[in-house]
PDB file of all heavy atoms in Angstrom:
ATOM      1  N   LEU A 241      89.897  74.865  41.729  1.00 35.00           N
ATOM      2  CA  LEU A 241      89.391  73.549  41.485  1.00 35.00           C
ATOM      3  C   LEU A 241      87.905  73.571  41.256  1.00 35.00           C
ATOM      4  O   LEU A 241      87.358  72.673  40.532  1.00 35.00           O
ATOM      5  CB  LEU A 241      89.692  72.605  42.649  1.00 35.00           C
ATOM      6  CG  LEU A 241      91.190  72.274  42.830  1.00 35.00           C
ATOM      7  CD1 LEU A 241      91.402  71.477  44.095  1.00 35.00           C
ATOM      8  CD2 LEU A 241      91.703  71.435  41.617  1.00 35.00           C
ATOM      9  N   ALA A 242      87.186  74.528  41.830  1.00 36.00           N
ATOM     10  CA  ALA A 242      85.754  74.556  41.786  1.00 36.00           C
ATOM     11  C   ALA A 242      85.244  75.253  40.508  1.00 36.00           C
ATOM     12  O   ALA A 242      84.050  75.119  40.140  1.00 36.00           O
ATOM     13  CB  ALA A 242      85.176  75.216  42.993  1.00 36.00           C
ATOM     14  N   VAL A 243      86.089  76.090  39.890  1.00 32.00           N
ATOM     15  CA  VAL A 243      85.589  76.873  38.755  1.00 32.00           C
ATOM     16  C   VAL A 243      85.375  75.930  37.551  1.00 32.00           C
ATOM     17  O   VAL A 243      86.266  75.180  37.167  1.00 32.00           O
ATOM     18  CB  VAL A 243      86.612  77.935  38.353  1.00 32.00           C
ATOM     19  CG1 VAL A 243      86.218  78.626  37.070  1.00 32.00           C
ATOM     20  CG2 VAL A 243      86.745  78.939  39.501  1.00 32.00           C
ATOM     21  N   PRO A 244      84.215  75.969  36.918  1.00 34.00           N
ATOM     22  CA  PRO A 244      83.974  75.119  35.761  1.00 34.00           C
ATOM     23  C   PRO A 244      84.753  75.599  34.532  1.00 34.00           C
ATOM     24  O   PRO A 244      85.075  76.793  34.452  1.00 34.00           O
ATOM     25  CB  PRO A 244      82.467  75.224  35.516  1.00 34.00           C
ATOM     26  CG  PRO A 244      82.078  76.546  36.098  1.00 34.00           C
ATOM     27  CD  PRO A 244      83.004  76.766  37.294  1.00 34.00           C
ATOM     28  N   ALA A 245      85.005  74.688  33.600  1.00 34.00           N
ATOM     29  CA  ALA A 245      85.714  75.082  32.411  1.00 34.00           C
ATOM     30  C   ALA A 245      84.840  76.058  31.587  1.00 34.00           C
ATOM     31  O   ALA A 245      83.598  75.921  31.593  1.00 34.00           O
ATOM     32  CB  ALA A 245      85.989  73.830  31.550  1.00 34.00           C
ATOM     33  N   LEU A 246      85.466  77.010  30.959  1.00 31.00           N
ATOM     34  CA  LEU A 246      84.720  77.938  30.127  1.00 31.00           C
ATOM     35  C   LEU A 246      84.165  77.230  28.866  1.00 31.00           C
ATOM     36  O   LEU A 246      84.768  76.302  28.359  1.00 31.00           O
ATOM     37  CB  LEU A 246      85.623  79.118  29.677  1.00 31.00           C
ATOM     38  CG  LEU A 246      86.157  79.997  30.826  1.00 31.00           C
ATOM     39  CD1 LEU A 246      87.150  81.001  30.263  1.00 31.00           C
ATOM     40  CD2 LEU A 246      85.014  80.735  31.505  1.00 31.00           C
ATOM     41  N   ALA A 247      83.069  77.667  28.410  1.00 34.00           N
ATOM     42  CA  ALA A 247      82.487  77.134  27.215  1.00 34.00           C
ATOM     43  C   ALA A 247      83.361  77.447  26.017  1.00 34.00           C
ATOM     44  O   ALA A 247      84.028  78.441  26.014  1.00 34.00           O
ATOM     45  CB  ALA A 247      81.068  77.665  26.997  1.00 34.00           C
ATOM     46  N   PRO A 248      83.323  76.575  24.992  1.00 34.00           N
ATOM     47  CA  PRO A 248      84.145  76.832  23.799  1.00 34.00           C
ATOM     48  C   PRO A 248      83.827  78.246  23.248  1.00 34.00           C
ATOM     49  O   PRO A 248      82.690  78.627  23.125  1.00 34.00           O
ATOM     50  CB  PRO A 248      83.702  75.757  22.835  1.00 34.00           C
ATOM     51  CG  PRO A 248      83.228  74.616  23.715  1.00 34.00           C
ATOM     52  CD  PRO A 248      82.625  75.295  24.905  1.00 34.00           C
ATOM     53  N   GLY A 249      84.895  78.944  22.958  1.00 35.00           N
ATOM     54  CA  GLY A 249      84.702  80.300  22.415  1.00 35.00           C
ATOM     55  C   GLY A 249      84.560  81.368  23.424  1.00 35.00           C
ATOM     56  O   GLY A 249      84.516  82.550  23.076  1.00 35.00           O
ATOM     57  N   SER A 250      84.530  81.035  24.753  1.00 35.00           N
ATOM     58  CA  SER A 250      84.401  82.036  25.779  1.00 35.00           C
ATOM     59  C   SER A 250      85.667  82.856  25.835  1.00 35.00           C
ATOM     60  O   SER A 250      86.781  82.345  25.668  1.00 35.00           O
ATOM     61  CB  SER A 250      84.116  81.379  27.106  1.00 35.00           C
ATOM     62  OG  SER A 250      82.881  80.711  27.100  1.00 35.00           O
ATOM     63  N   ALA A 251      85.559  84.115  26.192  1.00 37.00           N
ATOM     64  CA  ALA A 251      86.699  84.951  26.345  1.00 37.00           C
ATOM     65  C   ALA A 251      87.376  84.695  27.679  1.00 37.00           C
ATOM     66  O   ALA A 251      86.784  84.176  28.553  1.00 37.00           O
ATOM     67  CB  ALA A 251      86.279  86.426  26.239  1.00 37.00           C
ATOM     68  N   GLY A 252      88.662  85.035  27.747  1.00 40.00           N
ATOM     69  CA  GLY A 252      89.389  84.920  28.992  1.00 40.00           C
ATOM     70  C   GLY A 252      90.256  83.694  29.060  1.00 40.00           C
ATOM     71  O   GLY A 252      90.326  82.894  28.096  1.00 40.00           O
ATOM     72  N   ALA A 253      90.912  83.507  30.215  1.00 41.00           N
ATOM     73  CA  ALA A 253      91.843  82.371  30.394  1.00 41.00           C
ATOM     74  C   ALA A 253      91.100  81.034  30.502  1.00 41.00           C
ATOM     75  O   ALA A 253      89.922  81.039  30.866  1.00 41.00           O
ATOM     76  CB  ALA A 253      92.648  82.629  31.689  1.00 41.00           C
ATOM     77  N   THR A 254      91.798  79.993  30.232  1.00 45.00           N
ATOM     78  CA  THR A 254      91.255  78.664  30.367  1.00 45.00           C
ATOM     79  C   THR A 254      91.131  78.319  31.811  1.00 45.00           C
ATOM     80  O   THR A 254      91.799  78.869  32.688  1.00 45.00           O
ATOM     81  CB  THR A 254      92.127  77.626  29.641  1.00 45.00           C
ATOM     82  OG1 THR A 254      93.411  77.677  30.183  1.00 45.00           O
ATOM     83  CG2 THR A 254      92.162  77.927  28.132  1.00 45.00           C
ATOM     84  N   ALA A 255      90.298  77.298  32.118  1.00 48.00           N
ATOM     85  CA  ALA A 255      90.055  76.880  33.508  1.00 48.00           C
ATOM     86  C   ALA A 255      91.384  76.302  34.065  1.00 48.00           C
ATOM     87  O   ALA A 255      92.118  75.669  33.342  1.00 48.00           O
ATOM     88  CB  ALA A 255      88.946  75.865  33.561  1.00 48.00           C
ATOM     89  N   PRO A 256      91.622  76.511  35.357  1.00 47.00           N
ATOM     90  CA  PRO A 256      92.826  75.956  35.968  1.00 47.00           C
ATOM     91  C   PRO A 256      92.749  74.412  35.972  1.00 47.00           C
ATOM     92  O   PRO A 256      91.704  73.843  36.067  1.00 47.00           O
ATOM     93  CB  PRO A 256      92.761  76.509  37.441  1.00 47.00           C
ATOM     94  CG  PRO A 256      91.335  76.875  37.634  1.00 47.00           C
ATOM     95  CD  PRO A 256      90.814  77.275  36.307  1.00 47.00           C
ATOM     96  N   THR A 257      93.897  73.845  35.868  1.00 50.00           N
ATOM     97  CA  THR A 257      94.029  72.386  35.859  1.00 50.00           C
ATOM     98  C   THR A 257      94.407  71.828  37.221  1.00 50.00           C
ATOM     99  O   THR A 257      94.876  72.600  38.107  1.00 50.00           O
ATOM    100  CB  THR A 257      95.082  71.917  34.846  1.00 50.00           C
ATOM    101  OG1 THR A 257      96.349  72.328  35.376  1.00 50.00           O
ATOM    102  CG2 THR A 257      94.837  72.517  33.477  1.00 50.00           C
ATOM    103  N   PRO A 258      94.215  70.542  37.469  1.00 50.00           N
ATOM    104  CA  PRO A 258      94.688  69.973  38.756  1.00 50.00           C
ATOM    105  C   PRO A 258      96.180  70.254  38.993  1.00 50.00           C
ATOM    106  O   PRO A 258      96.609  70.498  40.125  1.00 50.00           O
ATOM    107  CB  PRO A 258      94.386  68.499  38.608  1.00 50.00           C
ATOM    108  CG  PRO A 258      93.227  68.437  37.671  1.00 50.00           C
ATOM    109  CD  PRO A 258      93.443  69.579  36.672  1.00 50.00           C
ATOM    110  N   ALA A 259      96.977  70.256  37.901  1.00 52.00           N
ATOM    111  CA  ALA A 259      98.387  70.524  38.074  1.00 52.00           C
ATOM    112  C   ALA A 259      98.628  71.954  38.585  1.00 52.00           C
ATOM    113  O   ALA A 259      99.499  72.210  39.419  1.00 52.00           O
ATOM    114  CB  ALA A 259      99.124  70.314  36.767  1.00 52.00           C
ATOM    115  N   ASP A 260      97.808  72.931  38.053  1.00 54.00           N
ATOM    116  CA  ASP A 260      97.899  74.289  38.548  1.00 54.00           C
ATOM    117  C   ASP A 260      97.628  74.354  40.049  1.00 54.00           C
ATOM    118  O   ASP A 260      98.261  75.037  40.806  1.00 54.00           O
ATOM    119  CB  ASP A 260      96.900  75.182  37.812  1.00 54.00           C
ATOM    120  CG  ASP A 260      97.179  75.311  36.317  1.00 54.00           C
ATOM    121  OD1 ASP A 260      98.394  75.241  35.964  1.00 54.00           O
ATOM    122  OD2 ASP A 260      96.202  75.527  35.587  1.00 54.00           O
ATOM    123  N   ALA A 261      96.584  73.596  40.453  1.00 51.00           N
ATOM    124  CA  ALA A 261      96.190  73.597  41.870  1.00 51.00           C
ATOM    125  C   ALA A 261      97.287  73.059  42.719  1.00 51.00           C
ATOM    126  O   ALA A 261      97.579  73.515  43.820  1.00 51.00           O
ATOM    127  CB  ALA A 261      94.900  72.776  42.020  1.00 51.00           C
ATOM    128  N   ARG A 262      97.913  71.962  42.257  1.00 49.00           N
ATOM    129  CA  ARG A 262      99.018  71.364  43.031  1.00 49.00           C
ATOM    130  C   ARG A 262     100.188  72.312  43.182  1.00 49.00           C
ATOM    131  O   ARG A 262     100.750  72.454  44.234  1.00 49.00           O
ATOM    132  CB  ARG A 262      99.461  70.064  42.403  1.00 49.00           C
ATOM    133  CG  ARG A 262      98.555  68.899  42.598  1.00 49.00           C
ATOM    134  CD  ARG A 262      99.226  67.559  42.175  1.00 49.00           C
ATOM    135  NE  ARG A 262      99.474  67.510  40.755  1.00 49.00           N
ATOM    136  CZ  ARG A 262      98.646  67.095  39.855  1.00 49.00           C
ATOM    137  NH1 ARG A 262      97.434  66.663  40.182  1.00 49.00           N
ATOM    138  NH2 ARG A 262      99.002  67.029  38.577  1.00 49.00           N
ATOM    139  N   THR A 263     100.509  73.038  42.142  1.00 51.00           N
ATOM    140  CA  THR A 263     101.593  74.015  42.166  1.00 51.00           C
ATOM    141  C   THR A 263     101.253  75.115  43.145  1.00 51.00           C
ATOM    142  O   THR A 263     102.116  75.537  43.933  1.00 51.00           O
ATOM    143  CB  THR A 263     101.804  74.586  40.763  1.00 51.00           C
ATOM    144  OG1 THR A 263     102.168  73.561  39.886  1.00 51.00           O
ATOM    145  CG2 THR A 263     102.930  75.649  40.780  1.00 51.00           C
ATOM    146  N   ALA A 264     100.011  75.591  43.135  1.00 55.00           N
ATOM    147  CA  ALA A 264      99.616  76.593  44.075  1.00 55.00           C
ATOM    148  C   ALA A 264      99.658  76.151  45.513  1.00 55.00           C
ATOM    149  O   ALA A 264     100.058  76.866  46.406  1.00 55.00           O
ATOM    150  CB  ALA A 264      98.170  77.103  43.752  1.00 55.00           C
ATOM    151  N   ALA A 265      99.299  74.878  45.744  1.00 55.00           N
ATOM    152  CA  ALA A 265      99.335  74.301  47.074  1.00 55.00           C
ATOM    153  C   ALA A 265     100.740  74.255  47.613  1.00 55.00           C
ATOM    154  O   ALA A 265     101.016  74.585  48.776  1.00 55.00           O
ATOM    155  CB  ALA A 265      98.700  72.913  47.106  1.00 55.00           C
ATOM    156  N   VAL A 266     101.686  73.833  46.743  1.00 58.00           N
ATOM    157  CA  VAL A 266     103.091  73.808  47.186  1.00 58.00           C
ATOM    158  C   VAL A 266     103.578  75.156  47.556  1.00 58.00           C
ATOM    159  O   VAL A 266     104.253  75.348  48.569  1.00 58.00           O
ATOM    160  CB  VAL A 266     103.949  73.191  46.050  1.00 58.00           C
ATOM    161  CG1 VAL A 266     105.447  73.380  46.370  1.00 58.00           C
ATOM    162  CG2 VAL A 266     103.663  71.708  45.849  1.00 58.00           C
ATOM    163  N   ALA A 267     103.232  76.180  46.745  1.00 65.00           N
ATOM    164  CA  ALA A 267     103.618  77.542  47.043  1.00 65.00           C
ATOM    165  C   ALA A 267     103.018  78.019  48.335  1.00 65.00           C
ATOM    166  O   ALA A 267     103.682  78.748  49.110  1.00 65.00           O
ATOM    167  CB  ALA A 267     103.200  78.444  45.871  1.00 65.00           C
ATOM    168  N   ALA A 268     101.768  77.669  48.618  1.00 78.00           N
ATOM    169  CA  ALA A 268     101.077  78.080  49.819  1.00 78.00           C
ATOM    170  C   ALA A 268     101.811  77.614  51.070  1.00 78.00           C
ATOM    171  O   ALA A 268     101.815  78.294  52.072  1.00 78.00           O
ATOM    172  CB  ALA A 268      99.651  77.606  49.804  1.00 78.00           C
ATOM    173  N   TYR A 269     102.357  76.375  51.015  1.00 86.00           N
ATOM    174  CA  TYR A 269     102.976  75.781  52.178  1.00 86.00           C
ATOM    175  C   TYR A 269     104.494  75.838  52.192  1.00 86.00           C
ATOM    176  O   TYR A 269     105.142  75.095  52.912  1.00 86.00           O
ATOM    177  CB  TYR A 269     102.442  74.386  52.341  1.00 86.00           C
ATOM    178  CG  TYR A 269     100.938  74.255  52.526  1.00 86.00           C
ATOM    179  CD1 TYR A 269     100.168  73.458  51.699  1.00 86.00           C
ATOM    180  CD2 TYR A 269     100.328  75.000  53.487  1.00 86.00           C
ATOM    181  CE1 TYR A 269      98.788  73.378  51.869  1.00 86.00           C
ATOM    182  CE2 TYR A 269      98.934  74.971  53.618  1.00 86.00           C
ATOM    183  CZ  TYR A 269      98.176  74.176  52.839  1.00 86.00           C
ATOM    184  OH  TYR A 269      96.804  74.086  52.995  1.00 86.00           O
ATOM    185  N   ALA A 270     105.097  76.669  51.401  1.00 89.00           N
ATOM    186  CA  ALA A 270     106.531  76.777  51.284  1.00 89.00           C
ATOM    187  C   ALA A 270     107.072  77.440  52.569  1.00 89.00           C
ATOM    188  O   ALA A 270     106.374  78.206  53.262  1.00 89.00           O
ATOM    189  CB  ALA A 270     106.942  77.581  50.070  1.00 89.00           C
ATOM    190  N   ALA A 271     108.357  77.157  52.859  1.00 94.00           N
ATOM    191  CA  ALA A 271     109.011  77.804  54.010  1.00 94.00           C
ATOM    192  C   ALA A 271     109.134  79.285  53.775  1.00 94.00           C
ATOM    193  O   ALA A 271     109.232  79.725  52.652  1.00 94.00           O
ATOM    194  CB  ALA A 271     110.362  77.184  54.206  1.00 94.00           C
ATOM    195  N   PRO A 272     109.156  80.071  54.853  1.00 94.00           N
ATOM    196  CA  PRO A 272     109.382  81.528  54.661  1.00 94.00           C
ATOM    197  C   PRO A 272     110.708  81.814  54.043  1.00 94.00           C
ATOM    198  O   PRO A 272     111.671  81.057  54.221  1.00 94.00           O
ATOM    199  CB  PRO A 272     109.327  82.078  56.121  1.00 94.00           C
ATOM    200  CG  PRO A 272     108.674  80.987  56.924  1.00 94.00           C
ATOM    201  CD  PRO A 272     108.985  79.680  56.264  1.00 94.00           C
ATOM    202  N   ASP A 273     110.774  82.867  53.320  1.00 94.00           N
ATOM    203  CA  ASP A 273     112.056  83.301  52.755  1.00 94.00           C
ATOM    204  C   ASP A 273     113.141  83.417  53.820  1.00 94.00           C
ATOM    205  O   ASP A 273     112.899  84.004  54.876  1.00 94.00           O
ATOM    206  CB  ASP A 273     111.908  84.694  52.012  1.00 94.00           C
ATOM    207  CG  ASP A 273     111.086  84.612  50.789  1.00 94.00           C
ATOM    208  OD1 ASP A 273     110.873  83.503  50.253  1.00 94.00           O
ATOM    209  OD2 ASP A 273     110.619  85.682  50.324  1.00 94.00           O
ATOM    210  N   GLY A 274     114.270  82.843  53.558  1.00 96.00           N
ATOM    211  CA  GLY A 274     115.392  82.933  54.478  1.00 96.00           C
ATOM    212  C   GLY A 274     115.510  81.850  55.511  1.00 96.00           C
ATOM    213  O   GLY A 274     116.503  81.714  56.198  1.00 96.00           O
ATOM    214  N   TYR A 275     114.445  81.062  55.681  1.00 97.00           N
ATOM    215  CA  TYR A 275     114.425  80.030  56.704  1.00 97.00           C
ATOM    216  C   TYR A 275     115.611  79.087  56.568  1.00 97.00           C
ATOM    217  O   TYR A 275     116.237  78.680  57.587  1.00 97.00           O
ATOM    218  CB  TYR A 275     113.121  79.264  56.755  1.00 97.00           C
ATOM    219  CG  TYR A 275     112.963  78.271  57.892  1.00 97.00           C
ATOM    220  CD1 TYR A 275     112.700  78.752  59.195  1.00 97.00           C
ATOM    221  CD2 TYR A 275     113.139  76.925  57.692  1.00 97.00           C
ATOM    222  CE1 TYR A 275     112.585  77.866  60.245  1.00 97.00           C
ATOM    223  CE2 TYR A 275     112.985  76.030  58.774  1.00 97.00           C
ATOM    224  CZ  TYR A 275     112.722  76.521  60.009  1.00 97.00           C
ATOM    225  OH  TYR A 275     112.627  75.638  61.092  1.00 97.00           O
ATOM    226  N   TYR A 276     115.933  78.701  55.361  1.00 98.00           N
ATOM    227  CA  TYR A 276     116.995  77.696  55.161  1.00 98.00           C
ATOM    228  C   TYR A 276     118.286  78.300  54.614  1.00 98.00           C
ATOM    229  O   TYR A 276     119.133  77.604  54.073  1.00 98.00           O
ATOM    230  CB  TYR A 276     116.470  76.636  54.157  1.00 98.00           C
ATOM    231  CG  TYR A 276     115.419  75.724  54.681  1.00 98.00           C
ATOM    232  CD1 TYR A 276     114.167  75.700  54.114  1.00 98.00           C
ATOM    233  CD2 TYR A 276     115.641  74.892  55.777  1.00 98.00           C
ATOM    234  CE1 TYR A 276     113.160  74.883  54.598  1.00 98.00           C
ATOM    235  CE2 TYR A 276     114.669  74.075  56.295  1.00 98.00           C
ATOM    236  CZ  TYR A 276     113.390  74.055  55.685  1.00 98.00           C
ATOM    237  OH  TYR A 276     112.418  73.229  56.202  1.00 98.00           O
ATOM    238  N   ASP A 277     118.452  79.612  54.831  1.00 97.00           N
ATOM    239  CA  ASP A 277     119.643  80.268  54.272  1.00 97.00           C
ATOM    240  C   ASP A 277     120.928  79.600  54.767  1.00 97.00           C
ATOM    241  O   ASP A 277     121.910  79.466  54.013  1.00 97.00           O
ATOM    242  CB  ASP A 277     119.670  81.758  54.667  1.00 97.00           C
ATOM    243  CG  ASP A 277     118.793  82.609  53.712  1.00 97.00           C
ATOM    244  OD1 ASP A 277     118.235  82.053  52.776  1.00 97.00           O
ATOM    245  OD2 ASP A 277     118.686  83.825  53.988  1.00 97.00           O
ATOM    246  N   GLY A 278     120.960  79.187  55.993  1.00 97.00           N
ATOM    247  CA  GLY A 278     122.152  78.601  56.577  1.00 97.00           C
ATOM    248  C   GLY A 278     122.505  77.217  56.011  1.00 97.00           C
ATOM    249  O   GLY A 278     123.614  76.694  56.252  1.00 97.00           O
ATOM    250  N   ALA A 279     121.559  76.606  55.255  1.00 97.00           N
ATOM    251  CA  ALA A 279     121.780  75.269  54.737  1.00 97.00           C
ATOM    252  C   ALA A 279     122.051  75.271  53.253  1.00 97.00           C
ATOM    253  O   ALA A 279     122.545  74.278  52.742  1.00 97.00           O
ATOM    254  CB  ALA A 279     120.537  74.394  54.999  1.00 97.00           C
ATOM    255  N   GLU A 280     121.787  76.366  52.559  1.00 95.00           N
ATOM    256  CA  GLU A 280     121.938  76.413  51.107  1.00 95.00           C
ATOM    257  C   GLU A 280     123.380  76.183  50.697  1.00 95.00           C
ATOM    258  O   GLU A 280     124.317  76.663  51.291  1.00 95.00           O
ATOM    259  CB  GLU A 280     121.428  77.775  50.578  1.00 95.00           C
ATOM    260  CG  GLU A 280     119.979  78.038  50.814  1.00 95.00           C
ATOM    261  CD  GLU A 280     119.050  77.092  50.092  1.00 95.00           C
ATOM    262  OE1 GLU A 280     119.497  76.391  49.115  1.00 95.00           O
ATOM    263  OE2 GLU A 280     117.876  77.008  50.499  1.00 95.00           O
ATOM    264  N   GLY A 281     123.519  75.296  49.675  1.00 95.00           N
ATOM    265  CA  GLY A 281     124.820  75.024  49.137  1.00 95.00           C
ATOM    266  C   GLY A 281     125.633  73.969  49.858  1.00 95.00           C
ATOM    267  O   GLY A 281     126.775  73.649  49.455  1.00 95.00           O
ATOM    268  N   LYS A 282     125.094  73.427  50.951  1.00 97.00           N
ATOM    269  CA  LYS A 282     125.808  72.428  51.744  1.00 97.00           C
ATOM    270  C   LYS A 282     125.348  71.033  51.412  1.00 97.00           C
ATOM    271  O   LYS A 282     124.229  70.808  50.933  1.00 97.00           O
ATOM    272  CB  LYS A 282     125.631  72.716  53.199  1.00 97.00           C
ATOM    273  CG  LYS A 282     126.253  74.021  53.706  1.00 97.00           C
ATOM    274  CD  LYS A 282     126.061  74.204  55.222  1.00 97.00           C
ATOM    275  CE  LYS A 282     126.875  75.375  55.781  1.00 97.00           C
ATOM    276  NZ  LYS A 282     126.482  76.658  55.228  1.00 97.00           N
ATOM    277  N   THR A 283     126.168  70.065  51.673  1.00 97.00           N
ATOM    278  CA  THR A 283     125.835  68.637  51.560  1.00 97.00           C
ATOM    279  C   THR A 283     126.445  67.835  52.708  1.00 97.00           C
ATOM    280  O   THR A 283     127.233  68.415  53.486  1.00 97.00           O
ATOM    281  CB  THR A 283     126.408  68.040  50.226  1.00 97.00           C
ATOM    282  OG1 THR A 283     127.823  68.179  50.197  1.00 97.00           O
ATOM    283  CG2 THR A 283     125.821  68.784  49.005  1.00 97.00           C
ATOM    284  N   GLY A 284     126.063  66.595  52.823  1.00 98.00           N
ATOM    285  CA  GLY A 284     126.659  65.698  53.787  1.00 98.00           C
ATOM    286  C   GLY A 284     126.520  66.189  55.246  1.00 98.00           C
ATOM    287  O   GLY A 284     125.485  66.773  55.629  1.00 98.00           O
ATOM    288  N   ASP A 285     127.565  65.983  56.028  1.00 97.00           N
ATOM    289  CA  ASP A 285     127.549  66.345  57.437  1.00 97.00           C
ATOM    290  C   ASP A 285     127.358  67.880  57.649  1.00 97.00           C
ATOM    291  O   ASP A 285     126.736  68.290  58.636  1.00 97.00           O
ATOM    292  CB  ASP A 285     128.833  65.910  58.120  1.00 97.00           C
ATOM    293  CG  ASP A 285     128.899  64.393  58.296  1.00 97.00           C
ATOM    294  OD1 ASP A 285     127.837  63.732  58.208  1.00 97.00           O
ATOM    295  OD2 ASP A 285     130.004  63.851  58.548  1.00 97.00           O
ATOM    296  N   ALA A 286     127.909  68.664  56.712  1.00 98.00           N
ATOM    297  CA  ALA A 286     127.732  70.143  56.830  1.00 98.00           C
ATOM    298  C   ALA A 286     126.265  70.526  56.711  1.00 98.00           C
ATOM    299  O   ALA A 286     125.803  71.380  57.428  1.00 98.00           O
ATOM    300  CB  ALA A 286     128.589  70.812  55.798  1.00 98.00           C
ATOM    301  N   LEU A 287     125.561  69.855  55.786  1.00 98.00           N
ATOM    302  CA  LEU A 287     124.131  70.133  55.642  1.00 98.00           C
ATOM    303  C   LEU A 287     123.347  69.672  56.878  1.00 98.00           C
ATOM    304  O   LEU A 287     122.494  70.379  57.389  1.00 98.00           O
ATOM    305  CB  LEU A 287     123.577  69.462  54.382  1.00 98.00           C
ATOM    306  CG  LEU A 287     122.079  69.538  54.139  1.00 98.00           C
ATOM    307  CD1 LEU A 287     121.615  70.956  54.057  1.00 98.00           C
ATOM    308  CD2 LEU A 287     121.711  68.786  52.874  1.00 98.00           C
ATOM    309  N   LYS A 288     123.683  68.503  57.337  1.00 98.00           N
ATOM    310  CA  LYS A 288     123.007  67.941  58.524  1.00 98.00           C
ATOM    311  C   LYS A 288     123.192  68.877  59.749  1.00 98.00           C
ATOM    312  O   LYS A 288     122.263  69.148  60.488  1.00 98.00           O
ATOM    313  CB  LYS A 288     123.587  66.548  58.810  1.00 98.00           C
ATOM    314  CG  LYS A 288     122.792  65.716  59.863  1.00 98.00           C
ATOM    315  CD  LYS A 288     123.229  64.291  59.742  1.00 98.00           C
ATOM    316  CE  LYS A 288     122.449  63.345  60.685  1.00 98.00           C
ATOM    317  NZ  LYS A 288     123.074  63.229  62.015  1.00 98.00           N
TER     318      LYS A 288
END
């Protein structure tokens, strides 16, 4: 979020967008792999 946009014609990737930052934040706070394995594919009372 703090990196300024590159000047026109600059080499390299474009500056990250707020949407990129939100996606990274969601990934940062995701549950550990396997935490919800017992719930996957279930609905209703079985999921509860």
Side-chain angles (χ1 to χ4, degrees):
L241 289 173
V243 173
L246 295 175
S250 297
T254 59
T257 67
D260 295 330
R262 285 193 295 272
T263 299
V266 169
Y269 298 127
D273 290 344
Y275 186 75
Y276 291 117
D277 278 358
E280 297 296 340
K282 295 182 170 63
T283 61
D285 288 343
L287 175 57
K288 192 166 183 269

